[in-house]
Amino acid sequence: MFGPDKCGEDYKLHFIIRHKHPQTGVYEEKHAKPPDVDLKPFFTDRKTHLYTLVMNPDDTFEVLIDQIVVNRGSLLEDVVPPINPLKEIEDPTDEKPDDWDERAKVPDPSAIKPEDWDENEPAQIEDLSAVKPDGWLDAEPKFIPDPNAEKPDDWNEDMDGEWEAPRISNPACRIGCGEWKPPMINNPKYKGVWRPPMIDNPNYQGIWSPRKIPNPYYFEDDHPFLLTSFRALGLELWSMTSDIYFDNFIICSEKEVADRWATDGWGVKMMANANERGIFKQLITTAEERPWLWFIYLVTAGLPIALIISFCWPRKVKKKYEDANDKETDICKPQTKGALEQEVKEEKAALEKPVDFVEEKQQSDGEILEKEGEPQEKSEEEIEIIEGQEEGNKSNKSGSEDEMKEADESTGSGDGPVKSIRKRRVRKE
C-alpha cells in the first residue's frame, strides 16, 4: 500500500508492505517509518502532485513527491514490526515468584520518631495579631438580590418555578461583611506525619522479567524485496473533500522509465497549469478555501480608492467655490463706490453735450421729450438730480451686502443712472 492519507489535521504518506510468514503462511503488515518532512503543504496547496515509490534490489526504498525524495530507508531496519522476528522471546508460561523484591529503597527499620514530634499540629493557624477592620459589617450579607431586576414577562412559575432576582455584591460591603475571621498563616510548629528515612534495600533483586526462550516462529528473510507477485491495482478511497482526482498509474522495473514518463506527462501538465493559472485565479481559489481572505482583499483594494477620493474630492469642491466667488465678485463690481462715481462723471459729460444729442437719445428710449425752447431748464434740473444721487452714493461707504443691494435698486445696472435721468419727467412751463 502506497499513497497520501489525510485525516483531520493528520497528514501521512503511507508505505505498507504485506509480508508472508514462511512458516505459518500468515500475511503481516509492515509499516515504513514516517517521512521527516512536513507533509501539510502538499495537502493544502491545491496543486497536482506526483507520488513515487522506488524499491531497490538491495532492500532499500525511497519515497518521492514531485521527484523530490522525502523518505528513504531499509526494509530490514526501518519498518515496524521488523521483517525478521526476534530469535528469543519471553516465556509466556513464566511467572514472577512471590518473594521477589523489586524495591530499591526501604524504610530504615532502626529509625525512631523524635519525642518532640507532634503530628497533631495543623498546617495553618489563625493569625492572632490580626484585628478586625473598622467599618466591618457583621450583620450584612455579602450578596443581595438585585433591586433593579424585573421578572421576565414570559416567566411561567408552573414550568420555571418561583422567580428569584439575581444576586449582586452588596454595595454596603465596601470594607467587609459577614462573620469576621482572622486570616490563616503557616503554623511554625507543623511537622506533619513522621516517616522513617529511606535506605537501600539489602534484599533488592531488580525488576523481574520472564525468562527468554527460543522463538519457535523465528525465520530470517535476507531479501524482503522479493515480494509476492500481484496482478491488479486497487484504490482505497474514503474522503470528505471534493475535487480529488487520480490518473496515470505506472508500475515498472526501471526508474528511468518512470522518470521519462513523469517528464513527458506530469511535467507537461505542471507547465500548462502554471501558464493557465494566473494570479487572480490563484487568489480566488485561495479565498474559496479560506473565506476570511475576502475581507483582506476588499480592504486592500478599497483603501487606495478611498484615499484617492479623500485627497482629490476636497480640491474639486474648493475650486468650485472659488469659481463661484469669482463670478459673484464680477457681478458686484459695478456696485462699488468707484464704479458709481465713474458713472456719475460719464453722466455729467453726457449732459454737457448739445441738446440735439440728448433729444435723439431720449426719443430712442421712448421717453417724454422736453420742448426745444427750454433746454437750459432741463439741464439744470438733471444736474440737481445727479448731484443728489452723488451725495447718496457717498453716504454708502460701509460696503456691506445690504447697502450694495440698495445701491442696485437705486441705480440698477451700469446704465442705471443714465436711464433714471432719461425717465425723469421734466417740469414744463
Side-chain angles (χ1 to χ4, degrees):
M1 178 178 177
F2 171 71
D5 180 20
K6 177 182 180 297
C7 182
E9 290 298 319
D10 189 12
Y11 305 94
K12 297 179 181 180
L13 182 56
H14 292 291
F15 170 38
I16 305 173
I17 62 174
R18 299 178 72 247
H19 185 268
K20 183 178 180 180
H21 198 288
Q23 295 184 9
T24 62
V26 177
Y27 285 92
E28 297 178 346
E29 287 189 353
K30 311 294 183 180
H31 295 250
K33 66 177 184 179
D36 297 331
V37 301
D38 183 15
L39 299 177
K40 183 176 181 179
F42 300 104
F43 287 84
T44 58
D45 59 2
R46 302 178 68 86
K47 294 181 180 179
T48 300
H49 294 289
L50 177 66
Y51 295 90
T52 306
L53 170 63
V54 179
M55 298 180 64
N56 300 311
D58 61 353
D59 301 315
T60 60
F61 66 88
E62 289 182 342
V63 177
L64 300 88
I65 302 179
D66 300 341
Q67 300 294 75
I68 300 174
V69 177
V70 297
N71 192 13
R72 56 163 50 97
S74 171
L75 296 176
L76 295 173
E77 300 176 357
D78 299 313
V79 295
V80 178
I83 295 291
N84 297 320
L86 299 175
K87 292 182 179 182
E88 293 184 341
I89 61 173
E90 295 179 350
D91 185 0
T93 61
D94 191 13
E95 295 181 359
K96 177 182 172 182
D98 296 336
D99 58 350
W100 190 276
D101 195 348
E102 294 182 341
R103 299 175 301 168
K105 297 281 187 180
V106 294
D108 185 2
S110 61
I112 301 175
K113 183 176 72 172
E115 295 180 357
D116 59 347
W117 192 283
D118 189 359
E119 296 181 354
N120 296 324
E121 286 287 342
Q124 288 187 329
I125 58 175
E126 294 181 352
D127 186 5
L128 302 179
S129 62
V131 180
K132 183 172 69 172
D134 296 337
W136 187 281
L137 304 177
D138 295 318
E140 287 288 339
K142 294 182 179 180
F143 299 94
I144 61 173
D146 186 0
N148 299 324
E150 297 180 358
K151 185 173 71 172
D153 297 335
D154 57 349
W155 187 274
N156 189 338
E157 292 189 355
D158 296 335
M159 299 179 61
D160 302 328
E162 183 180 357
W163 182 82
E164 294 182 0
R167 302 179 70 83
I168 61 174
S169 299
N170 191 345
C173 299
R174 291 176 294 177
I175 299 177
C177 292
E179 182 183 359
W180 181 83
K181 294 181 180 180
M184 304 296 288
I185 60 175
N186 293 330
N187 185 1
K189 298 180 180 181
Y190 173 75
K191 294 183 179 181
V193 179
W194 180 85
R195 293 182 177 88
M198 303 297 288
I199 60 173
D200 293 335
N201 185 3
N203 300 323
Y204 177 67
Q205 296 176 273
I207 303 299
W208 182 86
S209 61
R211 63 176 178 267
K212 299 290 185 179
I213 61 173
N215 186 357
Y217 301 106
Y218 172 75
F219 69 90
E220 187 173 0
D221 187 354
D222 296 332
H223 298 289
F225 168 76
L226 301 176
L227 299 176
T228 305
S229 61
F230 58 90
R231 298 180 179 179
L233 175 67
L235 297 178
E236 182 180 352
L237 301 179
W238 182 25
S239 176
M240 303 298 292
T241 305
S242 60
D243 300 332
I244 296 180
Y245 303 96
F246 302 88
D247 64 353
N248 298 337
F249 297 92
I250 181 173
I251 301 175
C252 58
S253 58
E254 299 293 336
K255 187 175 184 301
E256 291 75 12
V257 176
D259 291 341
R260 184 168 59 253
W261 173 86
T263 303
D264 297 340
W266 175 80
V268 174
K269 182 184 294 185
M270 291 300 296
M271 293 180 61
N273 292 340
N275 294 332
E276 294 177 0
R277 193 177 177 85
I279 182 64
F280 292 103
K281 189 173 181 180
Q282 294 180 9
L283 293 175
I284 293 174
T285 303
T286 305
E288 290 176 354
E289 184 178 357
R290 301 176 179 85
W292 55 268
L293 286 176
W294 288 112
F295 176 74
I296 304 297
Y297 294 165
L298 292 176
V299 173
T300 304
L303 184 60
I305 298 175
L307 291 175
I308 292 174
I309 294 176
S310 63
F311 280 107
C312 296
W313 180 255
R315 297 181 180 177
K316 293 182 179 180
V317 174
K318 183 178 179 181
K319 185 175 180 182
K320 180 179 179 181
Y321 279 107
E322 288 178 352
D323 295 342
N325 291 335
D326 293 341
K327 293 180 180 180
E328 291 178 0
T329 305
D330 295 339
I331 295 173
C332 296
K333 279 182 179 180
Q335 306 302 327
T336 59
K337 177 183 175 183
L340 293 174
E341 292 179 353
Q342 183 66 23
E343 292 177 1
V344 172
K345 290 180 181 180
E346 292 177 357
E347 292 298 332
K348 287 183 178 180
L351 292 174
E352 292 177 357
K353 289 182 179 181
V355 178
D356 296 339
F357 178 77
V358 175
E359 290 177 355
E360 292 176 0
K361 215 166 191 181
Q362 290 176 349
Q363 290 177 0
S364 64
D365 293 335
E367 300 294 336
I368 300 175
L369 297 179
E370 190 179 6
K371 291 183 178 181
E372 294 181 1
E374 299 173 348
Q376 188 66 26
E377 292 178 1
K378 176 183 177 181
S379 299
E380 291 177 357
E381 187 173 359
E382 288 176 347
I383 291 173
E384 292 177 359
I385 294 171
I386 293 173
E387 289 177 353
Q389 291 179 351
E390 188 175 2
E391 291 176 358
N393 291 332
K394 289 182 180 180
S395 62
N396 298 330
K397 294 182 180 180
S398 61
S400 62
E401 186 177 354
D402 296 338
E403 292 173 346
M404 285 302 191
K405 291 180 179 180
E406 292 176 1
D408 192 2
E409 294 175 358
S410 62
T411 59
S413 63
D415 298 334
V418 177
K419 291 181 178 180
S420 62
I421 294 172
R422 293 172 181 171
K423 293 180 181 180
R424 182 76 175 181
R425 292 182 176 275
V426 297
R427 185 181 58 185
K428 296 181 180 182
E429 292 181 356

